[in-house]
Amino acid sequence: MPDQSQGSPALRPAGPQVSRRTMLRGASVLGVGVGFGLTPLLTACGVADGGSEESGGGSGKGGTLTLAIDSTSAVNDPAFYTTLGDWMAVDCVCRGLTFISFESNEPTPDLAKSWQISDDQLTYTFTLREGVKFHDGTTLSSADVLASLNRQFDPENKTLPKGASRPLASLGNNVASLTAEDDLTVELVLKAPDRTVLAQLSDIGGRVISKAALDKYGSGIGKHLVGTGPFKFASATSGQSVTLEAFDDFRLGRPPIDRLVLRQVQDPSAIVSSLLSGDVSATQFTPYSAVEQLKSDPSVTVHDTKEGFDAILMIDARRVPELKVRKAINLAIDRKAIVQQAFFGVASEPDGYTIPPAQNGYDTGLADLSTKNLAQAKKLLKEAGAVGRELGLMAAGDSWHPKAAQIVKQNLEDAGFKVKTTSVDPASYFSRLSDGKDDYHDLMIWERNSYVPDPNNMVGSMANPAGLYGSTITGLDTLDGVDTLAEDLLVAKNLPVGKKRTAAYSKIQRRWAEEYMVIAMLACSTNLVVSGAEVKGINTAALGNHRCFMEKASV
């Protein structure tokens, strides 16, 4: 999960902005992965660069590639999240105007072959590729783009299913108009500048659906999704699998494999055994505890991917009102223990605060914001008159979360707190995060995944006092002076990528931490990408960031 700047009504997001993992825990609106619960979305690979006509397809070897996913409801819709596996299927079936490979963080042309941006940064004119075919045989035109984006922008659109989360809602709130100049030209006019538009359009919400299919199926499009992607929908059974077939007319060439099966596998041990037996070709739902076992087995490959998500401890400032106490909590945390014991080494101690190493804007000059100093933690706690304060700590009961909670509890008790903990079923965790009256809402262990590799998707979401993290979860919006954080975030996201933009985000993060401390970093990690040794063409950078680009994968 978007999502960023607040302030004027034109820039206010239309709804809560959270990570995709959070979206899926909250069931049909905004929640996270169910089942065995390792870190989010299974996706895999073989990304074409989106703009290069030479980078996809190939003669191929045929066959079936099977991916282990968390779950499937058999509803695949860019505007609606039910499970991570369903979201992955959308990534395979549909493409968007722009594309980010995650091998590079820069948006490249996809269904749009080019674009022009006005000098005032308000008008984006996209020129579409000619002759691009949808799976239903229709040809891409501006009408398809308008139909697909307008349903994201308009909460009353009749093609939206009940409970649609509309991941492009915040972008739509800043759209003054979306029009078609002709069949191959789309003009998007903003109310205020936003340099992240091209990146946002690469996300799942920006996927283009056949207008003919939308007209035919309406809000039921999730069971009949039609796109221009490398794979077309074949069948789906809720709680079991989604089957996709290679699309012969994919614009970058037919994928090497004939069939892609997304199979629900919810038990960690079953994931490991299925990888080793070859029943599963690839996944990034692999339990961290199995990393050494898998590295030693020649039948599989454990891929090394950059760390792209934040493991965090969120502090509710309404429940812990003293800044000194919140800082004491941060200073007490043993990140090294969390990296080794909760992530089994598949992580690093955070030295860039909330911008992870995989993203532009990563700055190791912020390492001091996430260092352990138990003596200073005890001193601050004593100064605040809070020695012996009881805190509630909640964590989801899956993946790395329980062990991290155990370590944090011990760390805080060593500093002088009393800590009560609860382990929450992943399917209901989001509802607990959203309930400020929950007995354990003082401290909440969570993660922030970024599906658009930009600081605006991380800092811009979490440090925004009007967003979900800043209001509902941490109460940042109740603290003095936070309105200017939103103003600074708006300025930062509109700077070009480079030293000046990095410095702007670093300044925001330092102030956010030193003056408010509502997010304590635990670690930076990646999803553990593992594939069969014979599986080729996987874009592990995309897989580690939960994106599913399979057009070059082969078995």
Side-chain angles (χ1 to χ4, degrees):
M1 304 134 153
D3 94 54
Q4 294 100 351
S5 61
Q6 297 286 333
S8 68
L11 295 175
R12 187 172 295 116
Q17 303 299 319
V18 298
S19 72
R20 288 307 189 306
R21 184 175 180 89
T22 307
M23 286 183 174
L24 298 169
R25 270 206 172 110
S28 63
V29 183
L30 295 171
V32 147
V34 297
F36 63 86
L38 304 154
T39 45
L41 174 81
L42 164 92
T43 57
C45 356
V47 177
D49 68 5
S52 170
E53 301 295 341
E54 290 124 10
S55 58
S59 58
K61 298 179 181 179
T64 297
L65 186 124
T66 301
L67 303 173
I69 61 172
D70 64 324
S71 184
T72 176
S73 70
V75 177
N76 312 128
D77 185 335
F80 184 66
Y81 291 94
T82 53
T83 76
L84 296 168
D86 293 333
W87 183 73
M88 178 194 67
V90 173
D91 231 354
C92 296
V93 172
C94 299
R95 299 297 284 254
L97 293 175
T98 64
F99 185 88
I100 294 179
S101 71
F102 288 85
E103 294 168 321
S104 164
N105 290 341
E106 294 303 311
T108 58
D110 197 340
L111 297 184
K113 67 179 180 181
S114 64
W115 53 77
Q116 292 182 337
I117 306 173
S118 61
D119 291 341
D120 62 6
Q121 301 290 310
L122 293 177
T123 302
Y124 289 68
T125 303
F126 296 92
T127 300
L128 306 183
R129 296 183 188 275
E130 298 180 8
V132 176
K133 293 293 184 181
F134 282 98
H135 304 155
D136 59 5
T138 59
T139 302
L140 173 72
S141 75
S142 55
D144 301 295
V145 176
L146 266 59
S148 299
L149 295 185
N150 277 330
R151 71 192 296 263
Q152 291 279 343
F153 298 161
D154 178 12
E156 303 302 320
N157 189 285
K158 293 181 180 180
T159 69
L160 291 173
K162 184 179 180 180
S165 52
R166 298 186 301 120
L168 286 189
S170 60
L171 172 60
N173 200 52
N174 188 33
V175 172
S177 65
L178 177 67
T179 58
E181 295 187 1
D182 55 46
D183 284 348
L184 293 174
T185 308
V186 173
E187 183 178 88
L188 177 71
V189 180
L190 303 178
K191 298 173 184 177
D194 183 351
R195 283 183 180 265
T196 68
V197 165
L198 297 177
Q200 290 186 65
L201 289 174
S202 76
D203 200 4
I204 281 291
R207 298 304 191 183
V208 177
I209 304 170
S210 161
K211 183 179 183 299
L214 278 170
D215 290 343
K216 180 178 181 179
Y217 298 111
S219 60
I221 190 66
K223 292 183 178 293
H224 307 276
L225 188 62
V226 178
T228 63
F231 296 91
K232 58 185 179 180
F233 177 81
S235 65
T237 302
S238 179
Q240 295 185 27
S241 63
V242 179
T243 299
L244 308 176
E245 296 178 348
F247 180 41
D248 291 339
D249 292 327
F250 179 52
R251 75 170 188 87
L252 294 173
R254 186 189 190 280
I257 58 174
D258 295 328
R259 189 176 296 104
L260 176 64
V261 177
L262 316 180
R263 181 191 300 167
Q264 178 174 310
V265 185
Q266 297 186 323
D267 180 72
S269 62
I271 292 174
V272 175
S273 62
S274 295
L275 283 167
L276 294 175
S277 69
D279 289 340
V280 165
S281 307
T283 187
Q284 104 296 12
F285 280 117
T286 317
Y288 295 108
S289 58
V291 62
E292 293 305 322
Q293 175 190 358
L294 293 170
K295 281 183 176 180
S296 66
D297 196 305
S299 67
V300 296
T301 301
V302 178
H303 299 275
D304 185 16
T305 59
K306 287 187 176 181
E307 291 149 354
F309 81 74
D310 293 338
I312 58 179
L313 178 72
M314 301 180 291
I315 308 172
D316 189 338
R318 296 159 298 198
R319 308 281 287 268
V320 188
E322 308 96 332
L323 177 60
K324 285 186 177 181
V325 177
R326 298 197 298 274
K327 285 188 172 183
I329 292 168
N330 179 60
L331 288 166
I333 298 170
D334 186 346
R335 280 92 180 174
K336 183 176 181 179
I338 290 172
V339 167
Q340 294 302 319
Q341 298 175 37
F343 288 96
F344 293 84
V346 187
S348 67
E349 296 179 51
D351 55 10
Y353 198 47
T354 58
I355 297 179
Q359 290 191 2
N360 300 326
Y362 172 61
D363 181 5
T364 57
L366 300 174
D368 62 296
L369 299 177
S370 303
T371 57
K372 180 182 179 181
N373 188 329
L374 187 58
Q376 181 65 10
K378 291 180 176 180
K379 180 175 182 292
L380 290 175
L381 197 58
K382 184 176 181 180
E383 290 176 356
V387 175
R389 170 82 61 85
E390 183 175 84
L391 297 173
L393 169 64
M394 72 167 77
D398 63 345
S399 191
W400 58 271
H401 307 98
K403 186 61 180 181
Q406 179 184 346
I407 294 169
V408 170
K409 170 182 167 64
Q410 185 61 59
N411 294 160
L412 296 181
E413 290 178 342
D414 289 344
F417 291 100
K418 295 180 180 179
V419 182
K420 59 178 183 177
T421 63
T422 186
S423 180
V424 183
D425 180 80
S428 61
Y429 193 59
F430 176 71
S431 64
R432 298 282 295 269
L433 294 179
S434 302
D435 181 7
K437 296 181 180 179
D438 191 289
D439 289 342
Y440 292 86
H441 209 266
D442 302 329
L443 308 174
M444 297 148 281
I445 287 179
W446 195 229
E447 63 202 53
R448 173 67 189 178
N449 297 281
S450 181
Y451 299 81
V452 177
D454 187 271
N456 188 50
N457 203 250
M458 301 292 276
V459 184
S461 178
M462 294 190 290
N464 188 338
L468 177 71
Y469 287 89
S471 57
T472 303
I473 298 180
T474 68
L476 175 66
D477 60 339
T478 66
L479 303 177
D480 293 337
V482 294
D483 289 345
T484 56
L485 277 176
E487 296 170 7
D488 292 344
L489 286 167
L490 178 60
V491 171
K493 79 170 183 175
N494 279 303
L495 294 171
V497 173
K499 292 182 179 180
K500 189 173 181 180
R501 193 171 193 251
T502 295
Y505 275 113
S506 293
K507 183 177 180 181
I508 290 169
Q509 290 180 96
R510 182 163 291 284
R511 181 188 166 207
W512 180 31
E514 292 182 345
E515 296 184 16
Y516 303 108
M517 187 43 70
V518 293
I519 299 287
M521 284 291 297
L522 303 179
C524 290
S525 188
T526 184
N527 299 284
L528 186 55
V529 180
V530 180
S531 67
E534 300 304 314
V535 177
K536 305 299 180 184
I538 289 180
N539 179 332
T540 56
L543 180 54
N545 282 279
H546 327 306
R547 300 307 303 269
C548 187
F549 309 125
M550 296 296 298
E551 52 264 39
K552 291 171 65 177
S554 64
V555 292

